[in-house]
Coordinates of all heavy atoms in Angstrom, one line a residue:
A24 N 4.9 22.1 149.8 CA 5.7 22.7 148.7 C 5.0 22.5 147.3 O 4.9 21.4 146.9 CB 7.1 22.1 148.7
I25 N 4.7 23.6 146.7 CA 4.1 23.5 145.3 C 4.8 24.5 144.4 O 4.2 25.1 143.5 CB 2.6 23.7 145.3 CG1 2.2 25.1 145.9 CG2 1.9 22.7 146.1 CD1 0.8 25.5 145.5
D26 N 6.1 24.8 144.7 CA 6.8 25.8 143.9 C 7.6 25.2 142.7 O 8.2 26.0 142.0 CB 7.8 26.6 144.8 CG 8.8 25.6 145.5 OD1 8.5 24.5 145.8 OD2 10.0 26.0 145.5
H27 N 7.4 24.0 142.4 CA 8.2 23.3 141.5 C 8.1 24.0 140.1 O 9.1 23.9 139.3 CB 7.7 21.8 141.4 CG 7.8 21.1 142.6 ND1 6.9 21.5 143.7 CD2 8.5 20.0 143.1 CE1 7.1 20.6 144.7 NE2 8.1 19.8 144.4
Y29 N 8.4 26.8 139.1 CA 9.3 28.0 138.8 C 10.4 27.6 137.9 O 11.0 28.5 137.2 CB 9.8 28.7 140.1 CG 11.1 28.1 140.7 CD1 12.3 28.7 140.4 CD2 11.1 27.1 141.5 CE1 13.5 28.3 140.9 CE2 12.3 26.6 142.1 CZ 13.5 27.2 141.7 OH 14.7 26.8 142.3
F30 N 10.8 26.3 137.9 CA 11.8 25.9 136.8 C 11.4 24.7 136.1 O 11.9 24.3 135.0 CB 13.2 25.7 137.4 CG 13.3 24.5 138.3 CD1 14.0 23.4 137.8 CD2 12.9 24.5 139.6 CE1 14.1 22.2 138.6 CE2 13.0 23.3 140.4 CZ 13.6 22.2 139.9
M55 N 4.4 26.7 150.3 CA 5.5 27.3 149.6 C 5.2 27.3 148.1 O 5.0 26.3 147.5 CB 6.8 26.4 149.9 CG 8.0 26.9 149.3 SD 9.4 26.0 149.9 CE 10.7 26.5 148.8
R76 N 8.6 31.6 147.2 CA 9.9 31.3 146.4 C 10.3 32.6 145.7 O 9.6 33.2 144.9 CB 9.6 30.2 145.3 CG 10.5 30.0 144.2 CD 11.9 29.6 144.6 NE 12.0 28.3 145.0 CZ 13.1 27.6 145.3 NH1 14.3 28.2 145.2 NH2 13.1 26.4 145.7
S111 N 17.2 29.3 146.8 CA 18.1 28.1 146.7 C 19.5 28.5 146.7 O 19.9 29.5 146.1 CB 17.9 27.2 145.5 OG 16.5 26.7 145.5
V143 N 17.1 26.9 150.7 CA 17.0 25.6 150.2 C 18.4 25.1 149.7 O 19.0 25.8 148.9 CB 16.0 25.6 148.9 CG1 15.9 24.2 148.3 CG2 14.6 26.1 149.4
K173 N 16.2 24.3 154.4 CA 15.4 23.1 153.9 C 16.5 22.2 153.1 O 17.2 22.7 152.3 CB 14.4 23.6 152.9 CG 13.8 22.4 152.1 CD 12.6 22.9 151.3 CE 12.5 22.3 149.9 NZ 11.3 22.7 149.3
Y175 N 17.8 17.8 152.4 CA 17.3 16.4 152.1 C 17.6 15.6 153.3 O 18.7 15.7 154.0 CB 17.9 15.9 150.8 CG 17.4 16.6 149.6 CD1 18.0 17.6 149.0 CD2 16.1 16.1 149.1 CE1 17.5 18.3 147.9 CE2 15.6 16.9 148.0 CZ 16.3 17.9 147.4 OH 15.7 18.6 146.4
A194 N 12.9 18.2 152.5 CA 12.1 18.0 151.3 C 11.7 16.6 151.2 O 12.5 15.7 151.7 CB 12.9 18.5 150.1
G195 N 10.7 16.3 150.4 CA 10.3 14.9 150.2 C 11.1 14.2 149.1 O 11.3 13.1 149.0
G196 N 11.4 15.0 148.1 CA 12.1 14.5 146.9 C 11.1 13.9 145.9 O 9.9 14.1 146.0
K197 N 11.7 13.1 144.9 CA 10.8 12.6 143.9 C 9.8 11.6 144.5 O 10.1 11.1 145.6 CB 11.7 11.8 143.0 CG 12.4 12.6 142.0 CD 13.2 11.8 140.9 CE 14.0 12.8 140.0 NZ 15.1 12.1 139.4
D220 N 9.0 19.9 154.3 CA 8.6 20.8 153.3 C 8.4 19.9 152.1 O 9.2 19.7 151.3 CB 9.6 21.9 153.0 CG 9.1 22.9 152.1 OD1 7.8 23.0 151.8 OD2 9.9 23.8 151.6
M221 N 7.2 19.2 152.1 CA 7.0 18.2 151.1 C 6.0 18.5 150.0 O 5.0 19.2 150.3 CB 6.5 17.0 152.0 CG 6.4 15.7 151.2 SD 5.9 14.3 152.3 CE 7.4 13.7 153.0
G222 N 6.4 18.1 148.8 CA 5.6 18.4 147.7 C 5.1 17.2 146.9 O 3.9 16.7 147.2
R223 N 5.9 16.6 146.1 CA 5.5 15.6 145.1 C 4.9 14.3 145.9 O 4.0 13.7 145.4 CB 6.6 15.2 144.2 CG 6.9 16.2 143.2 CD 8.2 16.0 142.5 NE 9.3 16.4 143.4 CZ 10.6 16.4 143.2 NH1 11.0 16.1 141.9 NH2 11.5 16.7 144.1
N224 N 5.5 14.0 147.0 CA 5.0 12.8 147.7 C 3.6 13.1 148.4 O 2.9 12.2 148.8 CB 6.0 12.3 148.8 CG 7.0 11.5 148.1 OD1 6.7 10.3 147.7 ND2 8.2 12.0 147.9
F226 N 1.3 15.8 146.6 CA 0.3 16.2 145.6 C 0.3 15.2 144.4 O -0.6 15.1 143.6 CB 0.5 17.6 145.1 CG 1.8 18.0 144.5 CD1 2.1 17.6 143.3 CD2 2.6 18.8 145.2 CE1 3.3 17.9 142.7 CE2 3.9 19.2 144.6 CZ 4.2 18.7 143.3
Ligands
LIG301 C1 12.4 22.3 144.6 O1 13.2 23.0 144.1 C2 11.3 22.9 145.3 O2 11.8 23.9 146.1 C3 10.5 22.0 146.2 O3 9.8 22.8 147.1 C4 11.2 21.0 147.0 O4 12.0 20.2 146.3 C5 10.2 20.2 147.9 O5 9.4 19.5 147.2 P1 9.5 17.9 147.0 O6 9.0 17.3 148.3 O7 8.6 17.5 145.9 O8 10.9 17.5 146.8

Side-chain angles (χ1 to χ4, degrees):
I25 60 161
D26 60 321
H27 306 64
Y29 91 93
F30 73 102
M55 178 170 170
R76 162 65 69 173
S111 294
V143 176
K173 167 171 147 176
Y175 291 95
K197 282 185 185 157
D220 187 9
M221 192 176 271
R223 289 163 288 183
N224 278 289
F226 63 72

